[in-house]
Amino acid sequence: MKKATSSSTLGPEGLDIAQSFFKPIQGAYPQSPSSRNIKITVVGVGNVGMAIAQTILTQGIANEIALVDVNVDKLRGEMLDLQHAAAFLPRTKISASADYSNTRGSDLVIVTAGARQITGESRLNLLQRNLSLFSKVIPPLAAKSPDSIFLIVSNPVDVLTYVAWKLSGFPSNRVIGSGTNLDSSRFRFLIADHLDLNAQDVQAFIVGEHGDSSVALWSSISVGGVPILSFLERQEIAYEKQTLEKIHKEVVEGAYEVISLKGYTSWAIGYSVASLARTILRDQRSIHPVSVLAKGFYGIDGGEVFLSLPAQLGRSGVLGVTNVHLTDEEAAQLRESARTILEVQGQLGI
């Protein structure tokens, strides 16, 4: 597929419009290449990939976005559709190609590509097909952008982040899974909805697997700096554990409900991944619950496993894992979540 690029020349003689249209001021030095150029590659232009690309574009996070997909017609169509909105958006170069050379020099590579589950297909068979796909996608991406950070969004995200880490040869701090960042946003929304306040004033984490074995850290939830459970106990306000478990269940089933209603999820994951991209590329050093190499944290051992923990992110990827206090029950649940993921990984033969 021919890749669209911007050009400052027009006409058969190649008239240099930029040089003719703008007259330099006296005493000016030639323009030097910007050292602040930021390039993001998005692999996969399905509903999730395009929601991520569109959100990144509207928020002005990157100077350049490269789209990659095997479906060349859809790929070019999505590129053109975004390019045609240039007059309403921050200036960003948008390119698209099925050739991985288009991704060269990326600062951040976001992978959303993945095989879709066939009716009646086992989870293990789906994982094997995704492993085959990643073995074709990850090595060339790593070769074209050896200093980049990989952000894996494809599901099951924890196992595929581990696969991407192994296939890329990157250090563990530069391979991150989107993990439970979105789950935690759903969690914060539900708590805020119960209390009738802004979700941004709620500090709450879902950790562990991005899936059924995730763990809600109720013991560390705070609203406006006030720990919720401690406050309820001091005020002698009764609450039932079943109520808390119901809210967590709503978090876990949230994506399934959206998919059953509209066929897929897109906007929330788009905003979630864009927030991670902004934190990483602008070195904001914010804390996000994302899938990281968790071995050695909170008693997790027995193998190399990626699962979500509250991690500080910055320009070099994962800067560290936050030492959040867990109750004995939460720590046990987190270790069980790790065992669940390790069991699946062990069947892949990596």
Side-chain angles (χ1 to χ4, degrees), residues 156-193:
V157 67
D158 302 297
V159 176
L160 290 181
T161 303
Y162 169 80
V163 169
W165 174 52
K166 286 296 186 182
L167 292 173
S168 67
F170 283 7
S172 58
N173 62 296
R174 290 202 283 120
V175 182
I176 305 166
S178 56
T180 58
N181 196 53
L182 176 53
D183 307 62
S184 296
S185 177
R186 292 187 179 116
F187 193 32
R188 293 167 68 186
F189 160 73
L190 291 170
I191 294 169
D193 196 45

Side-chain angles (χ1 to χ4, degrees), residues 43-233:
V43 182
V45 295
N47 296 316
V48 170
M50 289 315 299
I52 292 169
Q54 189 265 352
T55 309
I56 287 172
L57 188 61
T58 56
Q59 294 184 3
I61 297 171
N63 305 100
E64 182 177 355
I65 296 177
L67 305 175
V68 179
D69 200 285
V70 294
N71 187 337
V72 293
D73 288 338
K74 178 171 171 56
L75 182 61
R76 180 168 174 79
E78 295 288 8
M79 176 194 69
L80 291 173
D81 208 7
L82 289 178
Q83 287 178 335
H84 296 167
F88 317 115
L89 295 167
R91 184 172 184 263
T92 307
K93 179 182 177 182
I94 305 167
S95 61
S97 176
D99 188 338
Y100 290 106
S101 62
N102 185 44
T103 71
R104 190 183 303 276
S106 296
D107 297 283
L108 180 66
V109 176
I110 300 171
V111 181
T112 72
R116 291 189 177 182
Q117 191 164 15
I118 302 169
T119 303
E121 182 180 28
S122 70
R123 186 185 186 194
L124 180 59
N125 192 67
L126 174 64
L127 267 172
Q128 291 286 5
R129 290 199 296 127
N130 274 319
L131 175 58
S132 177
L133 174 65
F134 267 46
S135 67
K136 299 172 185 175
V137 170
I138 299 299
L141 288 169
K144 298 300 181 184
S145 302
D147 298 319
S148 65
I149 294 170
F150 277 13
L151 178 52
I152 310 303
V153 183
S154 311
N155 278 317
V157 67
D158 302 297
V159 176
L160 290 181
T161 303
Y162 169 80
V163 169
W165 174 52
K166 286 296 186 182
L167 292 173
S168 67
F170 283 7
S172 58
N173 62 296
R174 290 202 283 120
V175 182
I176 305 166
S178 56
T180 58
N181 196 53
L182 176 53
D183 307 62
S184 296
S185 177
R186 292 187 179 116
F187 193 32
R188 293 167 68 186
F189 160 73
L190 291 170
I191 294 169
D193 196 45
H194 273 73
L195 300 176
D196 193 23
L197 51 81
N198 192 320
Q200 293 183 348
D201 292 320
V202 178
Q203 296 298 314
F205 292 122
I206 298 287
V207 298
E209 178 196 17
H210 172 59
D212 296 343
S213 71
S214 65
V215 182
L217 299 186
W218 287 102
S219 65
S220 60
I221 293 176
S222 66
V223 174
V226 179
I228 283 188
L229 297 190
S230 297
F231 172 79
L232 294 178
E233 290 169 0

Side-chain angles (χ1 to χ4, degrees), residues 304-325:
E304 294 169 328
V305 61
F306 278 70
L307 52 72
S308 287
L309 296 173
Q312 186 187 41
L313 304 181
R315 195 60 186 81
S316 58
V318 179
L319 306 180
V321 172
T322 309
N323 188 19
V324 177
H325 172 74

